[in-house]
Structure formats: structure tokens, C-alpha cells
Amino acid sequence: MRLHHVIRAQQFGRNVLAEIFETASEMERIVRHGGSDLLARKVMATVFYEPSTRTRLSFESAMHRLGGEVIATENAREFSSAAKGETLEDTIRIIEGYADVIVLRHYESGAAERAASVTDVPIINAGDGPGQHPTQALLDMYTIQKEIGHLDGISIAMVGDLANGRTVRSLCYLLAKCEDITIHFVAPEIVQMKDDIKEYLTKHGIAFVEESDLKAVASKVDVIYQTRIQKERFGDRIEDYNRASGVYIVDRHLLSVMKPDAIVMHPLPRIGEIKPEVDGDHRAAYFRQAQNGLYIRMALLKMLLCNE
Ligand code: CP
């Protein structure tokens, strides 16, 4: 199956998801056996206008482990010619001459779509402001499938900064492809999930409910998907940030009411909303989740760049 740009989670149907997950499993085997030269002589550009640890380094590791080359501009807002006023479109038109695939993280919603409109080189959206983070949603779904054993029929609590969270937005779009899903939105009112996502879920027959008692929700769900309150999205609304932060914490008390086979996920980084005392519990899946990012991104690169 040919993939081209990776822009938004809605673009993936269940058959493509299945192929990505199967390829990711194959990538796990490749990593265990020391890598491959499948993408030898291919070049990937990572162009990041916002900070990142996991997404950028896992993409770069993915390319290296498949034998490809990486060119990069980290902190592109400051260190690329964007600092001189170059438009995103012009930057992409230039990089398409240097790379076979462009991984783009930008601070504006819709930036990846703008980039894809001016190039035939595959663009991978690595997070566009408060918009979407589709490769994170893919690795989240892969993690749920591996950890819980299935996708259909799960109940999930999405917790924290749902208004600004591109990971939860993209995950909702992917969960809408599944059957018999229940989503509990647990967030301070000021950062509750936005109406566009709720309308999308309703349209696709996905049950969701807004709740305020995390402890009550924790006892009945298969997945707690915790997120960070994103200070960088509040601008000068410091009072709003302070009201939203520290409200919902995953700690050992919460673990004690969770089902024995439920899991705790988080796209990371965390800044206190999951206490370190949770890390040793077998249900703490967030570091395994981040590792799955490598396999999913290897799978995407293979599917984008291998023609045979
Ligand atoms: N989950 C995630 O996108 O992490 P980074 O911001 O470190 O890439």
C-alpha cells in the first residue's frame, strides 16, 4: 500500500493501520537483529520549529536503523532562514531538493498541510501547534493494541490539557475508526476537549462523556491517557494556566483503584502529572509507548520510501 504525505490522523483507514502495525512489528525484529540497509542512499530532513526529544530523535534513529541519512535543522525558528523572514513554503521548496522525505514540526496548526501543498516530497506532520500529531496517534494505537490486545471495545480516559493537546485530538480521530469505543474526557473546564472533536466523535458514533472525578473513572477504564498542561499554549494567560495545572495527578492512590490489566499512557514529557512512584508498576506503559514510536516511525519511513 502506497502512503504519501502523513498530515492528519483521519487519513488512515483500518486496513492501513493494520499494515502500519504489521510493518512496525517487522521493524521490532529488524532492530533486534541490528538494523537494515533498506533505506540506503535515502535522505530524511527533520525540520523542527518547536522543541522535541522523542519525535525528532526517534525519527532520526528510525532512519539510521534503516540505513538512511539524516539532515536536520533543530530550533528552525532561530537557526534556519525563517529567522531572516523566509516563508515555510519557500523553505520546503528548498529542502525538497535535498531530501527524499521531510519531517516537519511547526508551531502553527495547518503548517504541514501548507508544506504538502508545495511539494511532491512526502511531508510527515510531526506536530503542528495545537493541531495534530498523527504519528503520535499511530504509536499510541499500536501501544494499546500491544498492551491490551485489541482496539475495538476499549474504554479510555483522556486526562489533562485536552483543548491544546494535539496528541489527544489525533488519537480521537483514530479511535473513531474503531468499534464500541468509550472515551471519558477528564479535564479542568478551561481546557476541556473542543467542540470540533466532540462533533466528529458524535458523527462517527463514538460514545464520550465529560467527567470531573478521575478516581471514579480510573476504576472502570482500560487506558488512562494522561497529558501535560501545556504552559506554552497559554501565552500571557498565566492565571488560566495555574487554574488548569495540578488538578489531575496519576499517583499510587489512583493506581490502587485501576483495573489490574489497565494501562497508564502519556505522550511525554511529563512535569508532575504522573508521579515517579507510578513508574515501577507494570501498568505504567508510557516508556514502552515512547519506544514504540521508533518502530512506528521506521514503518512509516519504509512505507513512504520503499517502492518495491
Ligand atoms: N510526544 C512528543 O511529541 O514528544 P516530543 O515533544 O519530545 O517530541
Side-chain angles (χ1 to χ4, degrees), residues 49 65 80 86 90 138 141 161 178 191 238 260 263 294:
Y49 292 79
R65 287 172 189 275
S80 79
E86 186 168 66
D90 278 2
L138 291 169
M141 295 288 272
D161 192 345
C178 301
V191 286
I238 300 299
I263 56 169
L294 173 69

Side-chain angles (χ1 to χ4, degrees), residues 51-56 105 133 136 166-167 267-269:
S52 168
T53 296
R54 278 146 291 274
T55 311
R56 188 173 66 82
R105 172 167 289 188
H133 197 347
Q136 177 73 44
R166 57 195 176 199
T167 64
L268 303 176

Side-chain angles (χ1 to χ4, degrees), residues 83-126:
K84 304 174 202 163
E86 186 168 66
T87 64
L88 174 66
E89 285 80 357
D90 278 2
T91 300
I92 295 298
R93 284 189 188 103
I94 297 305
I95 298 172
E96 75 171 355
Y98 308 153
D100 301 296
V101 59
I102 300 171
V103 181
L104 174 70
R105 172 167 289 188
H106 201 274
Y107 49 89
E108 283 177 3
S109 185
E113 202 157 3
R114 278 170 52 205
S117 73
V118 297
T119 185
D120 283 333
V121 166
I123 297 288
I124 301 179
N125 181 0

Side-chain angles (χ1 to χ4, degrees), residues 48 50-58 105 126-127 133 135-136 139-140 166-167 225 228 232 266-269 289-290 297:
F48 275 55
E50 280 192 333
S52 168
T53 296
R54 278 146 291 274
T55 311
R56 188 173 66 82
L57 293 181
S58 63
R105 172 167 289 188
H133 197 347
T135 68
Q136 177 73 44
L139 77 91
D140 291 342
R166 57 195 176 199
T167 64
Y225 192 99
R228 175 177 65 93
E232 66 274 26
H266 192 309
L268 303 176
Q289 178 186 355
R297 287 164 179 141

Side-chain angles (χ1 to χ4, degrees), residues 183-228:
I183 306 177
H184 303 258
F185 294 130
V186 185
E189 192 52 43
I190 201 162
V191 286
Q192 251 302 358
M193 183 54 83
K194 288 186 174 161
D195 287 343
D196 63 329
I197 295 292
K198 290 191 272 189
E199 283 159 17
Y200 187 89
L201 293 173
T202 302
K203 191 172 154 199
H204 289 82
I206 300 295
F208 67 87
V209 56
E210 292 181 1
E211 311 220 30
S212 56
D213 184 348
L214 178 57
K215 201 167 178 185
V217 172
S219 63
K220 52 190 177 192
V221 295
D222 303 304
V223 179
I224 292 182
Y225 192 99
Q226 175 66 297
T227 64
R228 175 177 65 93

Side-chain angles (χ1 to χ4, degrees), residues 7 44 63 113 123 151 169 192 197 297 308:
I7 305 296
M44 177 185 77
M63 195 62 180
E113 202 157 3
I123 297 288
L151 295 170
R169 291 175 62 77
Q192 251 302 358
I197 295 292
R297 287 164 179 141
E308 61 277 6

